[in-house]
Amino acid sequence: NDILIPKLQQVFTLQNWQAMLIQTAFFGAYFIVSFLYFVFSVTKGDPILKIGYKNGIIVGLAVTAVGCLLFLPAADSHSYGLFLGALFVLASGITVLQITANPYVSILGPPESSSSRMNMTQALNSFGTTIAPIIGGYLIFDQVSNDAATADSVKMPYVGLAITLIVIAVIIKLARLPRLTGESTTVVAGSGALQHRHLVLGIICIFMYVGGEVAVGSMLINYFKLPQIAGLDESEAKHFVV
């Protein structure tokens, strides 16, 4: 997204607040999908426990791949609204993936080592966050004609992401992973966890931290482009987003 923002600003001549709708659409999906999932789980039962964690991961990957493929019609139709819709679908799939994969990792093994497994997965997540701006910037700003009038340069990266996600989904489908459902896990239904004050404060803390982190990262390329700061172009500035 940090690479996508300056590119779409070029294509659609967006002001900064309009460009930040990219992050609003992306992280808005996190909130909306998570909230709807919570309401459904409390009223109807947790759907992941009914279909299994493995199938939940596959659904998350598939929805994310669909969101990536929606970048094709968005670029062809030159529609900023469709780009935002594609990002919302993409982030919805990632939300489902995180809702499913994180608890699955924590219960795939002895309880005393669950934190170690979670730390390992988050380390890989952070590694991806570090290299993504470099790879994305290379594909969007270096390899394809950087014509400000079109968004064609975003097609290849997101189609590549879609193909990768589909391949991963197929691999997980064929893999012999333990099937854990509601019958084999202990789950307390309802909103009882929210009665713990430190949990609520932690949610607020993470919300504020991620908001600040995303806002700063989203504007870094534009910041480094300013002549009074560094005067870099996008292909150079992308290296400093990490």
Side-chain angles (χ1 to χ4, degrees):
N1 289 355
D2 295 340
I3 299 298
L4 192 64
I5 286 174
K7 177 59 184 178
L8 294 187
Q9 275 190 293
Q10 293 178 354
V11 174
F12 297 103
T13 316
L14 303 173
Q15 297 182 28
N16 285 336
W17 72 267
Q18 293 172 312
M20 288 299 287
L21 291 176
I22 291 173
Q23 298 291 24
T24 302
F26 189 86
F27 288 97
Y30 273 59
F31 173 77
I32 293 173
V33 173
S34 298
F35 180 75
L36 293 177
Y37 186 94
F38 170 75
V39 173
F40 188 89
S41 298
V42 171
T43 57
K44 304 293 184 180
D46 194 333
I48 295 299
L49 294 182
K50 295 179 181 179
I51 67 173
Y53 287 96
K54 179 178 177 178
N55 290 331
I57 292 173
I58 294 172
V59 169
L61 291 168
V63 174
T64 307
V66 170
C68 291
L69 293 176
L70 287 176
F71 275 69
L72 290 175
D76 289 336
S77 63
H78 198 74
S79 171
Y80 185 50
L82 192 51
F83 271 112
L84 296 180
L87 281 165
F88 186 89
V89 174
L90 189 158
S92 297
I94 294 176
T95 304
V96 174
L97 186 61
Q98 292 198 2
I99 290 174
T100 307
N102 287 339
Y104 189 50
V105 168
S106 68
I107 60 179
L108 275 179
E112 57 271 14
S113 59
S114 62
S115 60
S116 299
R117 291 191 296 276
M118 289 299 299
N119 285 334
M120 181 184 68
T121 59
Q122 295 308 313
L124 293 173
N125 183 68
S126 297
F127 176 70
T129 303
T130 300
I131 65 173
I134 299 176
I135 297 175
Y138 176 75
L139 294 173
I140 291 176
F141 291 120
D142 296 346
Q143 286 299 99
V144 184
S145 175
N146 194 21
D147 184 358
T150 69
D152 289 343
S153 61
V154 306
K155 290 181 179 179
M156 185 177 68
Y158 282 91
V159 170
L161 282 173
I163 294 173
T164 303
L165 291 165
I166 292 171
V167 170
I168 294 174
V170 172
I171 292 174
I172 291 178
K173 178 66 176 178
L174 298 176
R176 295 182 178 180
L177 298 176
R179 176 175 173 81
L180 302 176
T181 62
E183 297 178 356
S184 53
T185 57
T186 301
V187 177
V188 179
S191 57
L194 295 179
Q195 297 176 6
H196 296 277
R197 178 172 174 268
H198 286 89
L199 174 63
V200 176
L201 293 175
I203 292 173
I204 297 173
C205 180
I206 293 175
F207 176 85
M208 301 298 290
Y209 164 76
V210 173
E213 179 187 45
V214 169
V216 171
S218 299
M219 289 290 105
L220 274 182
I221 290 182
N222 287 331
Y223 179 73
F224 292 134
K225 286 171 59 180
L226 295 174
Q228 65 270 32
I229 300 301
L232 303 177
D233 59 28
E234 290 87 350
S235 60
E236 296 174 312
K238 69 176 186 290
H239 296 291
F240 299 94
V241 179
V242 298

